[in-house]
Amino acid sequence: MESFLSLFDPNQDDGFDEEPELNGNSSGAGSSISDYETDANANECRISMGNRPPAESGDLIFDFERGMLPPEPQLGNVEYKLKLVNPSKQRFEHLVTQMKWRLREGNGEAIYEIGVSDAGILQGLSDKDMNASLSTLKQMAHRLGASTSVLRRKTIASRRAVAEVLVRKIPDDQHNIEVRVAVLGGADAGKSTLLGVLTQDQLDNGHGRARLNMFRHMHEIQSGRTSCISHETFGFDALGNVVNYKYNEMMTAEEISDRSSKLVTFMDLAGHRRYMRTTVQALSGYSPHYAMLVVSAGSGCNDTTEEHLAIVRALDMPFFILVTKTDITSPDATVQELCNLLTTIGCRKVPFVVTNTDEAISAGSNQVSENIVPIFCVSNVTGTGLNLVTKFLYVLSPGISNAEKDRLEQESCEFQVDEIFRVPDVGPVVGGLLVQGVLSENMPMKIGPLPDGSFHPVNVNTIHRNKAPCRVVRAGQSASLSFTPDQDLPTLRSGMVLLGDIGNDLDEPYGTYFFQAKVSVLFHATAIYVGFQTTVHIGSIRQTAVIRGIMGGERLGTNDCASVMFEFVGHPEYVRPGMRILFREGTSKGIGVVTQVFPVNKTGTK
């Protein structure tokens, strides 16, 4: 072991920045409390955008009630236009090219502010000029095969108006624009009931009737508690109408996907602490774009709520909050409790309680402002507030930049296996996330690692996304894959990866038992020493690992950072430098980034 640990590089430069403390403790002895002081009114919820303090650097608050907007951003999917009245042919072509670029920046979605100067001043237009501008914008979108929908139109001084328009174009290689949302919260918060109401378009009876269609096992129906990952879809057509199982008779999940220009995929996760490992694995493996934290107005913020919030923040995932059961009790006390939690030293978020449609649009179209956390108060029995949630989801963007999307698609294929099924007449089917690259039907791949760390060649036969067949999957998309019949397959397990066939023996992929990571301990009651066993989550990997070395000291406490050597206990896994790691054991948890790996074929270990 000593000879192997000599490979341990304490000076590995990983570019990993220390995470902000989630427990309110400072890791620096000389830190001043003034560095963490919050505004005197920080614990007061911002009931409207107009009550919010001036935006911090980098924030974009698009709200007409403030009298003006921030200057037009050079990057991103937001465009200001004072007016678009009778443009020349050359000008029209330039505007179309500009719209195409904004759509690429927004991954198929762009927001146009009409009647607004580049400086953000709301000058407004007369009804005649506004109608002409909206007509020109529609012609521009039609040229690109896109659709337009007016999100809101406001009258300002002198009977002049400004408008906000959503332009949406489904990428040529996709059926629709997809947003993945993980649903978190305590066991009795009403997560499954909420998804049942949204996807079935049928209010609950107050006894959980709406949640029955969400459950996958008999014991879930009997106990009323989700124990595994359940995927539900909720779509919008080109005009912004909701597409769900009540859209028409005999609606299926495949038809919802086909009819929707935008698809919201919910991952209903378990709320009971008994299934916490499954919940963390889904957050790590499926990489959802957003997390939806569901809190009951009756029980308020419990330990599970705070645990889920800490994990979401550790994974650097944007999130929003729904307070349910408002038909039973007033949500005011719970909302204030959430505000206090979000504005603590360790969190320092700005809670934004959404009370009308304008605020829902502002919250949904401004998720670039990661400091804002929208809060919705809803009832699954009376339907109160659900229309605001629907409008918010309609304008919510996947949030990945076009440059990052292009970069990931240029990389070699890597598909992380999270679930395994056996389908009659088809054989084994694996479900998971394509982390990078582009995967197509009949593509040769390698799956592994096997117990000896090697990979096995396979051929992908068919691909399904959102329960519908497709030919191509791109980076960031989840899918299910089947393999060519009658080919020899190894024993499959969750945590395996499918890699593109490199064709170069020197770069042959191999699994590893040992890897080095720069970690930050978010919380531990005492201290972590060499020999500490913990559950490690890296993408779809979930396995027990042992700490074999701590560089620079003998122990790690809360908020401490160090380079650590881990060893997988069970079998080798495929890990690469740069992958994000989350480890937890009981209440102890930490995060980090992999900096160095030691493949089995190069170290000969185990």
Side-chain angles (χ1 to χ4, degrees):
M1 178 63 68
E2 286 78 5
S3 61
F4 182 75
L5 290 178
S6 64
L7 298 173
F8 200 31
D9 183 5
N11 300 316
Q12 185 79 23
D13 183 13
D14 50 76
F16 173 64
D17 296 327
E18 182 177 349
E19 288 288 323
E21 295 79 9
L22 298 186
N23 306 289
N25 299 321
S26 173
S27 58
S31 297
S32 170
I33 191 64
S34 63
D35 295 337
Y36 299 102
E37 285 179 353
T38 55
D39 187 28
N41 298 321
N43 289 337
E44 295 182 10
C45 293
R46 314 300 183 185
I47 301 301
S48 69
M49 285 288 190
N51 295 334
R52 193 187 315 284
E56 299 178 5
S57 175
D59 285 355
L60 295 175
I61 307 300
F62 301 103
D63 185 63
F64 295 152
E65 302 299 334
R66 300 179 64 177
M68 67 177 298
L69 304 182
E72 181 185 55
Q74 296 300 314
L75 302 176
N77 68 333
V78 179
E79 179 71 27
Y80 295 175
K81 289 300 175 190
L82 183 57
K83 62 180 179 178
L84 298 169
V85 179
N86 297 324
S88 64
K89 184 176 180 180
Q90 183 177 2
R91 171 66 174 164
F92 184 82
E93 294 298 330
H94 172 75
L95 291 171
V96 171
T97 302
Q98 191 179 56
M99 177 180 283
K100 184 177 181 179
W101 186 82
R102 290 294 188 185
L103 287 169
R104 283 176 55 84
E105 283 291 292
N107 198 24
E109 293 183 337
I111 301 291
Y112 271 71
E113 310 287 353
I114 307 298
V116 182
S117 68
D118 289 346
I121 300 174
L122 305 184
Q123 296 189 7
L125 297 175
S126 64
D127 288 343
K128 180 180 178 181
D129 286 347
M130 176 59 74
N131 292 334
S133 297
L134 293 177
S135 177
T136 302
L137 190 66
K138 188 173 183 179
Q139 294 173 27
M140 293 160 50
H142 182 72
R143 174 70 69 86
L144 296 174
S147 61
T148 62
S149 60
V150 178
L151 296 177
R152 49 182 168 169
R153 184 168 174 170
K154 290 289 185 181
T155 301
I156 57 176
S158 303
R159 300 173 65 181
R160 300 170 72 85
V162 293
E164 186 172 57
V165 184
L166 173 66
V167 183
R168 176 173 292 156
K169 181 183 186 301
I170 302 174
D172 296 334
D173 54 2
Q174 298 181 28
H175 288 297
N176 41 47
I177 297 171
E178 182 185 17
V179 177
R180 293 190 301 275
V181 179
V183 184
L184 301 169
D188 300 318
K191 302 183 299 299
S192 299
T193 302
L194 174 66
L195 295 187
V197 171
L198 289 175
T199 58
Q200 305 292 330
D201 197 20
Q202 184 176 358
L203 295 176
D204 188 51
N205 63 350
H207 299 286
R209 180 181 61 189
R211 70 188 178 189
L212 295 180
N213 291 323
M214 304 297 105
F215 293 145
R216 297 172 60 182
H217 304 289
M218 180 58 68
H219 70 85
E220 292 180 328
I221 297 176
Q222 295 171 345
S223 66
R225 290 178 175 175
T226 302
S227 63
C228 62
I229 305 169
S230 175
H231 298 263
E232 300 298 331
T233 55
F234 178 78
F236 298 92
D237 62 20
L239 300 177
N241 300 315
V242 173
V243 181
N244 54 25
Y245 289 103
K246 285 291 185 178
Y247 188 77
N248 60 31
E249 295 183 2
M250 304 300 291
M251 199 70 173
T252 65
E254 184 176 349
E255 290 174 334
I256 291 176
S257 177
D258 290 340
R259 290 175 178 267
S260 300
S261 61
K262 180 173 185 176
L263 197 67
V264 181
T265 301
F266 293 107
M267 293 188 297
D268 188 14
L269 305 181
H272 198 276
R273 291 193 62 86
R274 177 182 178 183
Y275 309 111
M276 183 64 75
R277 291 186 177 183
T278 302
T279 298
V280 176
Q281 182 183 14
L283 291 173
S284 175
Y286 277 99
S287 299
H289 300 117
Y290 299 93
M292 181 170 73
L293 185 62
V294 181
V295 182
S296 170
S299 58
C301 298
N302 51 30
D303 292 341
T304 303
T305 301
E306 296 186 14
E307 178 84 359
H308 286 177
L309 177 60
I311 294 172
V312 167
R313 291 201 60 248
L315 294 173
D316 197 24
M317 188 181 300
F319 64 97
F320 56 98
I321 300 175
L322 268 67
V323 179
T324 60
K325 304 184 181 180
T326 58
D327 56 293
I328 298 177
T329 183
S330 171
D332 293 347
T334 300
V335 169
Q336 187 59 51
E337 189 179 2
L338 286 167
C339 292
N340 295 337
L341 180 62
L342 293 172
T343 54
T344 55
I345 293 174
C347 195
R348 295 199 293 179
K349 296 286 186 180
V350 179
F352 173 35
V353 181
V354 177
T355 59
N356 56 53
T357 302
D358 281 351
E359 291 175 354
I361 293 172
S362 294
S365 59
N366 298 311
Q367 281 296 315
V368 290
S369 178
E370 298 178 359
N371 206 38
I372 296 174
V373 179
I375 301 176
F376 300 85
C377 298
V378 303
S379 169
N380 296 321
V381 175
T382 65
T384 303
L386 293 178
N387 61 319
L388 301 181
V389 177
T390 301
K391 182 63 71 173
F392 172 79
L393 294 172
Y394 175 60
V395 296
L396 199 61
S397 171
I400 182 173
S401 68
N402 185 67
E404 177 68 9
K405 182 173 179 290
D406 288 344
R407 184 190 69 80
L408 290 174
E409 290 182 0
Q410 296 301 319
E411 301 286 341
S412 60
C413 271
E414 181 178 332
F415 182 90
Q416 295 179 346
V417 177
D418 189 75
E419 295 181 284
I420 300 169
F421 314 93
R422 182 167 292 277
V423 181
D425 301 325
V426 175
V429 173
V430 297
L433 179 73
L434 184 63
V435 179
Q436 60 185 36
V438 178
L439 177 61
S440 59
E441 291 180 332
N442 302 316
M443 189 171 178
M445 304 283 286
K446 290 186 176 181
I447 192 167
L450 306 182
D452 63 353
S454 63
F455 279 68
H456 184 82
V458 295
N459 277 79
V460 174
N461 186 28
T462 59
I463 303 173
H464 277 66
R465 290 196 64 241
N466 301 315
K467 304 178 183 179
C470 67
R471 294 184 177 276
V472 177
V473 180
R474 297 185 176 272
Q477 297 178 344
S478 57
S480 297
L481 315 176
S482 69
F483 302 102
T484 303
D486 301 326
Q487 66 176 319
D488 183 29
L489 290 176
T491 302
L492 303 178
R493 59 174 175 82
S494 176
M496 280 184 161
V497 294
L498 279 159
L499 301 177
D501 192 356
I502 300 174
N504 185 350
D505 293 339
L506 296 177
D507 296 326
E508 192 75 13
Y510 257 85
T512 181
Y513 281 100
F514 291 87
F515 66 94
Q516 177 181 340
K518 177 72 177 294
V519 302
S520 174
V521 180
L522 300 178
F523 177 77
H524 193 281
T526 55
I528 294 175
Y529 296 88
V530 172
F532 176 75
Q533 286 196 1
T534 180
T535 301
V536 170
H537 297 268
I538 308 176
S540 62
I541 297 171
R542 184 184 71 181
Q543 189 181 160
T544 301
V546 180
I547 293 181
R548 293 302 187 189
I550 302 174
M551 296 305 296
E554 297 180 352
R555 50 174 281 173
L556 285 173
T558 301
N559 296 329
D560 286 345
C561 295
S563 288
V564 174
M565 179 71 77
F566 289 92
E567 178 191 3
F568 288 120
V569 172
H571 44 75
E573 302 281 11
Y574 180 75
V575 181
R576 349 175 232 99
M579 297 182 76
R580 198 175 186 93
I581 171 177
L582 188 148
F583 60 93
R584 59 182 306 277
E585 187 62 38
T587 59
S588 304
K589 52 183 175 290
I591 57 174
V593 171
V594 177
T595 59
Q596 195 174 6
V597 296
F598 306 93
V600 174
N601 64 327
K602 294 184 179 180
T603 61
T605 308
K606 289 194 177 181

